[in-house]
Amino acid sequence: MVSGEVTVNNSVGLHARPATFFIQRANSFKSSIWVEKDDRRVNAKSLLGVLSLGIVKGTDITIVADGADEEDAVKTLVGIIESNFSE
């Protein structure tokens, strides 16, 4: 199991378009992936789950992955957030 912490800094947080892009990338990995905020953990491959966290600009989150490609998954997803969802 691998995890990485990151602060969401884009203007709209992890909502609508950024969340959809994030989830599409999460679904490209075989590992189980979760997003943690405060004391809640949701499936990173679920749009409803991610949106339910209410992640806004300045929110610290943790991305956790467990599986065959866990390191690549965390590195990629943290990178997406750090780049403000640039491709």
Side-chain angles (χ1 to χ4, degrees), residues 17-29 44-45 77:
R17 239 175 246 160
T20 300
F21 179 64
F22 177 85
I23 291 158
Q24 287 172 342
R25 292 295 292 140
N27 276 300
S28 71
F29 295 100
K45 298 179 181 183
L77 296 173

Side-chain angles (χ1 to χ4, degrees), residues 42-86:
V42 299
N43 184 344
K45 298 179 181 183
S46 164
L47 181 59
L48 188 58
V50 172
L51 291 177
S52 75
L53 292 177
I55 298 169
V56 296
K57 182 177 182 176
T59 301
D60 294 322
I61 62 172
T62 303
I63 298 171
V64 182
D66 187 23
D69 51 4
E70 60 190 24
E71 290 184 25
D72 287 339
V74 170
K75 181 180 176 182
T76 298
L77 296 173
V78 166
I80 286 169
I81 293 170
E82 287 177 338
S83 71
N84 293 327
F85 303 90
S86 300

